[in-house]
Amino acid sequence: MWQVRKPGRAPPKHAAEPPAPEDRRLLTMGDAGAFNQRDQRTDLKVEVHQRLLGLINLNALDQMSREQIESEAGDIIREELAKQSHALNHAERRQLVSDVLDELLGLGPLEPLLKDPTITDILVNGHNSVFVERYGVLEPSPMRFKDEKHLIRIIQKIVSAVGRRIDESAPMVDARLADGSRVNAIVPPLALDGSVLSIRKFARTPIGIARLIELGSIPAPVAEVLKAIVTSRRNVLISGGTGSGKSTLLNAMSAFIDPRERIVTIEDSAELQLQQRHVVRLETRPANIEGKGEISQRHLVKNALRMRPDRIIIGEVRADEAFDMLQAMNTGHDGSMTTVHANNPRDALARIEQMIGMSGIDMPARSARSQIASAINVVIQVSRLSDGRRKLVSLSEVIGMEGEIVTMQEIFHFRQTGISSDGQVEGRFEATGIRPRFVDFALAHGVSLPTELFRPDAKFDG
């Protein structure tokens, strides 16, 4: 999620220079031929796949290794191709065998995209329109589905694997792949131009603080401050927009938690990759086809309080579970962490206040803000910059209430100074000159932070 172009590297070029007027007609004809050829291969792949399903014993697949399936199914596919008059060379036949096996054992056209380590997001806008994100930049993909039925079959294969469903009565779903990648799908009648599928790929190797420093997302001195915050058991709220790297930062910061502590994680779709041994992972459950049996995050937070947790980590607060999360932070579960969608730290606290109202509890605004001020100690803002990089842009401390207002003081912020010739955002991290209160808590837990970090003239490359 935090993959970025290295500083100094030119952004990838996704389109060539416009062709000369006399070349445009020939270029268009070539493109049309390529699309027709690709569509023919897709039709052939689906045709062979359907024949294969009628020839093999599907019940035996569960008892066979992938190598055995590839060997036996590959022979059947080659025999089927030999019966037909399609002009395919050896490389095309081998690719077709691989594609059919992806249909049989995997997610069809999505498999090559899922295996590509440079791709972080896969966005399917109907069966014949696929986009991917590389290095923070969207680009079209040549991958296609045969038709709408083909796309819906792949979506149903994804969601059924985690016990969820999608159809006209429940046309939206959140799910995850086996590797933890986040999936969202929405189908007609809500999606007007065909089913829409979004996949946020999960990093195969968890991205830690060291990697974030290497990518320039966090300066090393600020990373030391984050370590002190987690070690001293401050309650943390990570705020940011969609795709800004909130979950990645939360996962990286969790590595600083003492391995002797008991951690309970609560998520809509399990994504966190905590490295400690004593981790209890909980995941919500949607309602069944009769509309019953839903288990929300609020239910899980309430139950987690009875599980003797040292810390509770919620992947993201979206609704009434925010109230129970604040109660946990205020009743002995120091060091808890969560994320929220917001554009800045002040908006993040305002959103938490709104979520308390969604709990159905009649609480005056001042009381709600008092709960927030006493529960949340640190608000971290992350952002996705115009060049596609994710970066920590602000670190603020909540210090209490003044009248009706929750007061905060910003400790560090990222100041953008310009954009380089290759499109890279230029800037640096600066200290505001305020010494945070959590420094004393960190010292009590055996972590000493240099005073120089917080001097008003302290600046860090970013």
Side-chain angles (χ1 to χ4, degrees), residues 76-110:
I76 298 175
I77 295 170
R78 293 183 188 93
E79 291 176 5
E80 287 299 310
L81 289 175
K83 298 176 184 178
Q84 304 181 45
S85 58
H86 294 286
L88 299 177
N89 59 37
H90 180 69
E92 290 173 334
R93 285 175 178 265
R94 187 170 61 229
Q95 181 61 47
L96 184 62
V97 170
S98 176
D99 290 345
V100 173
L101 288 173
D102 284 341
E103 287 285 338
L104 180 65
L105 304 174
L107 300 178
L110 297 177

Side-chain angles (χ1 to χ4, degrees), residues 393 413-418 425-430 459:
V393 295
H413 65 263
F414 175 76
R415 184 182 300 279
Q416 182 173 336
T417 58
V425 171
E426 296 177 333
R428 61 190 179 189
F429 287 87
E430 298 177 348
K459 296 177 175 57

Side-chain angles (χ1 to χ4, degrees), residues 115 191 211 241 379:
K115 294 174 183 176
R211 178 60 175 158
V379 181

Side-chain angles (χ1 to χ4, degrees), residues 317-426:
V317 287
R318 296 186 178 93
D320 52 5
E321 67 273 4
F323 176 77
D324 299 282
M325 181 66 187
L326 294 179
Q327 294 300 304
M329 290 177 172
N330 274 323
T331 54
H333 301 91
D334 296 333
S336 296
M337 295 187 284
T338 188
T339 72
V340 67
H341 274 81
N343 294 325
N344 56 63
R346 178 60 60 184
D347 285 351
L349 299 186
R351 287 214 63 210
I352 296 295
E353 182 181 343
Q354 293 170 353
M355 292 174 193
I356 293 175
M358 297 169 66
S359 65
I361 298 174
D362 187 13
M363 178 182 292
R366 179 179 173 81
S367 296
R369 292 168 189 167
S370 178
Q371 288 282 326
I372 293 170
S374 59
I376 298 173
N377 305 122
V378 176
V379 181
I380 299 171
Q381 184 73 31
V382 292
S383 180
R384 178 175 175 169
L385 305 183
S386 59
D387 60 4
R389 291 186 296 168
R390 282 83 168 176
K391 191 179 289 288
L392 187 155
V393 295
S394 175
L395 190 154
S396 302
E397 182 181 40
V398 179
I399 57 176
M401 292 274 293
E402 285 187 7
E404 300 287 330
I405 306 298
V406 178
T407 56
M408 287 191 296
Q409 55 188 15
E410 189 173 46
I411 311 302
F412 298 104
H413 65 263
F414 175 76
R415 184 182 300 279
Q416 182 173 336
T417 58
I419 297 180
S420 66
S421 58
D422 61 358
Q424 294 283 317
V425 171
E426 296 177 333

Side-chain angles (χ1 to χ4, degrees), residues 83 100 104 111 127 144 209 227 243 247 320 349 439:
K83 298 176 184 178
V100 173
L104 180 65
E111 284 295 324
H127 72 276
R144 296 290 183 272
I209 288 292
K227 180 179 180 180
S247 297
D320 52 5
L349 299 186
V439 169

Side-chain angles (χ1 to χ4, degrees), residues 423-449:
Q424 294 283 317
V425 171
E426 296 177 333
R428 61 190 179 189
F429 287 87
E430 298 177 348
T432 60
I434 298 175
R435 181 181 183 274
R437 297 182 179 183
F438 59 70
V439 169
D440 296 329
F441 286 93
L443 191 59
H445 285 78
V447 180
S448 177
L449 293 172

Side-chain angles (χ1 to χ4, degrees), residues 108-125:
L110 297 177
E111 284 295 324
L113 306 181
L114 292 170
K115 294 174 183 176
D116 188 338
T118 66
I119 293 177
T120 54
D121 282 89
I122 303 171
L123 308 172
V124 181
N125 307 325

Side-chain angles (χ1 to χ4, degrees), residues 48-298:
V48 174
H49 176 237
Q50 293 299 323
R51 293 192 182 188
L52 183 63
L53 291 178
L55 293 172
I56 64 176
N57 179 7
L58 295 177
N59 293 327
L61 291 180
D62 294 336
Q63 304 172 5
M64 300 171 64
S65 67
R66 182 178 177 91
E67 291 74 17
Q68 290 175 311
I69 297 173
E70 288 180 352
S71 176
E72 297 192 21
D75 292 339
I76 298 175
I77 295 170
R78 293 183 188 93
E79 291 176 5
E80 287 299 310
L81 289 175
K83 298 176 184 178
Q84 304 181 45
S85 58
H86 294 286
L88 299 177
N89 59 37
H90 180 69
E92 290 173 334
R93 285 175 178 265
R94 187 170 61 229
Q95 181 61 47
L96 184 62
V97 170
S98 176
D99 290 345
V100 173
L101 288 173
D102 284 341
E103 287 285 338
L104 180 65
L105 304 174
L107 300 178
L110 297 177
E111 284 295 324
L113 306 181
L114 292 170
K115 294 174 183 176
D116 188 338
T118 66
I119 293 177
T120 54
D121 282 89
I122 303 171
L123 308 172
V124 181
N125 307 325
H127 72 276
N128 60 354
S129 176
V130 180
F131 287 80
V132 297
E133 180 187 286
R134 283 188 174 92
Y135 308 110
V137 179
L138 287 176
E139 59 185 62
S141 168
M143 293 297 175
R144 296 290 183 272
F145 295 83
K146 174 177 171 55
D147 50 31
E148 181 68 13
K149 290 182 179 179
H150 184 199
L151 173 55
I152 289 181
R153 182 169 63 81
I154 295 298
I155 293 175
Q156 290 177 335
K157 191 173 185 178
I158 293 172
V159 302
S160 62
V162 290
R164 307 201 174 188
R165 67 185 181 90
I166 187 168
D167 51 38
E168 287 189 2
S169 61
M172 296 186 298
V173 69
D174 285 317
R176 57 181 169 81
L177 301 181
D179 65 355
S181 297
R182 183 189 308 173
V183 177
N184 175 269
I186 181 167
V187 300
L190 299 187
L192 300 180
D193 299 319
S195 300
V196 178
L197 176 67
S198 306
I199 300 177
R200 169 70 51 77
K201 286 178 60 179
F202 205 57
R204 297 186 182 276
T205 302
I207 297 178
I209 288 292
R211 178 60 175 158
L212 297 183
I213 295 173
E214 179 184 343
L215 294 172
S217 300
I218 303 173
V222 176
E224 289 299 315
V225 175
L226 296 182
K227 180 179 180 180
I229 289 171
V230 176
T231 304
S232 60
R233 301 181 63 87
R234 298 293 82 199
N235 294 323
V236 177
L237 177 65
I238 300 176
S239 166
T242 301
S244 58
K246 300 184 299 296
S247 297
T248 299
L249 180 58
L250 176 63
N251 204 68
M253 289 179 62
S254 69
F256 297 132
I257 298 175
D258 191 320
R260 295 171 296 180
E261 296 182 28
R262 176 175 170 85
I263 308 167
V264 177
T265 68
I266 298 170
E267 302 173 84
D268 272 335
S269 295
E271 300 172 344
L272 297 175
Q273 293 177 300
L274 273 63
Q275 304 304 306
Q276 288 79 0
R277 293 180 59 188
H278 202 161
V279 178
V280 178
R281 304 169 70 222
L282 305 179
E283 186 178 56
T284 62
R285 185 181 72 183
N288 59 22
I289 195 170
E290 290 85 17
K292 300 179 180 179
E294 179 184 10
I295 304 296
S296 67
Q297 283 198 137
R298 187 173 190 187

